[in-house]
Amino acid sequence: MAVNPIIAEFDNNIKIKEYAQAYQIYDLRRGRSSGREWKSSVFFFLAVAMLFMLSMDNFNIVKNPVTAIVLMISMYMCTHYVYLLPKKAKLQGEHIYKSSRLLSKKYRFIIKRDYFEINNDYEFLKRYYTEIIDCIETNDTFILIGGMEHIVTVISKRCLTDEQIETISVFFKSEMIRVYRRSTYGSHLKKK
């Protein structure tokens, strides 16, 4: 038996939509959008409280200008956390993809027991699983988050056979027990 057996070996390339979605998930987990649920909830309840205070004075904004201002700010912040930040992260992912000549290139992935390797004609990356802080499987991709370079590594399922997808999924579940997650995020998006 080999010391570090190969679990899977395949060629893979990602599309801009896949990388943008992966970057958006990264931002929701580790970026500025993390904790958006509780942050938006705080502003939502603050907005409800301000609406209640305004209703107690028959919505007399002239008498309670501070309440109206706090209400408007709270409504904006709810929108900011729920919609604007995730949208901005997706656009940032698209920008990163477009500005990188390497992300659109075909890569050779070799997934071994202790680490995985990514290489093409221009670059080589070896990442140990101890560097991975999040492993997220969606309907379309495997997203590996961690490390100093290529903090977001995306494996497109579109380029894999069903057997390879199952093998990789089972391996990531067993190898990265604490950081592996299965998500249906983005499955409601239209396929292009």
Side-chain angles (χ1 to χ4, degrees):
M1 185 168 119
V3 175
N4 200 6
I6 294 176
I7 307 302
E9 187 172 357
F10 53 89
D11 290 326
N12 202 269
N13 68 321
I14 56 174
K15 293 186 176 182
I16 189 168
K17 178 184 156 211
E18 293 167 333
Y19 189 81
Q21 180 183 347
Y23 194 84
Q24 188 176 26
I25 291 171
Y26 158 73
D27 189 65
L28 288 170
R29 296 280 308 144
R30 302 289 173 174
R32 293 186 302 180
S33 296
S34 65
R36 72 185 182 127
E37 296 86 4
W38 72 265
K39 292 173 185 175
S40 62
S41 296
V42 167
F43 285 108
F44 174 77
F45 287 116
L46 186 59
V48 169
M50 295 302 111
L51 267 175
F52 179 75
M53 290 175 68
L54 279 173
S55 71
M56 296 301 288
D57 283 330
N58 295 323
F59 294 97
N60 188 351
I61 296 173
V62 175
K63 186 176 175 185
N64 296 316
V66 173
T67 306
I69 291 170
V70 172
L71 173 64
M72 296 304 287
I73 292 171
S74 297
M75 289 170 49
Y76 171 78
M77 292 306 289
C78 280
T79 306
H80 175 74
Y81 284 115
V82 171
Y83 177 74
L84 296 177
L85 272 182
K87 179 76 171 168
K88 187 175 181 180
K90 186 175 182 181
L91 293 174
Q92 178 69 23
E94 289 175 1
H95 173 72
I96 291 169
Y97 185 91
K98 289 176 185 174
S99 64
S100 170
R101 294 182 181 200
L102 298 177
L103 285 175
S104 62
K105 302 288 182 202
K106 184 181 281 191
Y107 281 88
R108 183 78 179 160
F109 274 84
I110 302 172
I111 298 177
K112 296 188 176 185
R113 190 190 64 179
D114 297 331
Y115 59 87
F116 64 90
E117 296 175 355
I118 307 171
N119 61 53
N120 64 16
D121 294 338
Y122 308 102
E123 101 183 296
F124 175 81
L125 176 70
K126 181 178 182 180
R127 174 90 17 96
Y128 287 91
Y129 298 117
T130 54
E131 298 176 62
I132 304 299
I133 56 176
D134 264 328
C135 174
I136 301 164
E137 180 181 354
T138 69
N139 293 338
D140 303 323
T141 57
F142 291 99
I143 304 163
L144 304 166
I145 300 170
M148 297 299 287
E149 57 201 40
H150 281 281
I151 194 161
V152 179
T153 303
V154 183
I155 301 171
S156 175
K157 288 183 177 180
R158 156 182 63 72
C159 302
L160 303 173
T161 65
D162 290 340
E163 183 180 311
Q164 288 174 320
I165 291 170
E166 182 64 25
T167 301
I168 294 167
S169 181
V170 168
F171 176 72
F172 283 163
K173 278 182 209 173
S174 65
E175 184 62 33
M176 296 184 273
I177 295 170
R178 291 186 177 165
V179 297
Y180 176 86
R181 287 167 182 72
R182 178 77 171 105
S183 174
T184 56
Y185 184 81
S187 61
H188 62 283
L189 302 175
K190 288 183 179 178
K191 304 276 185 198
K192 289 186 179 178

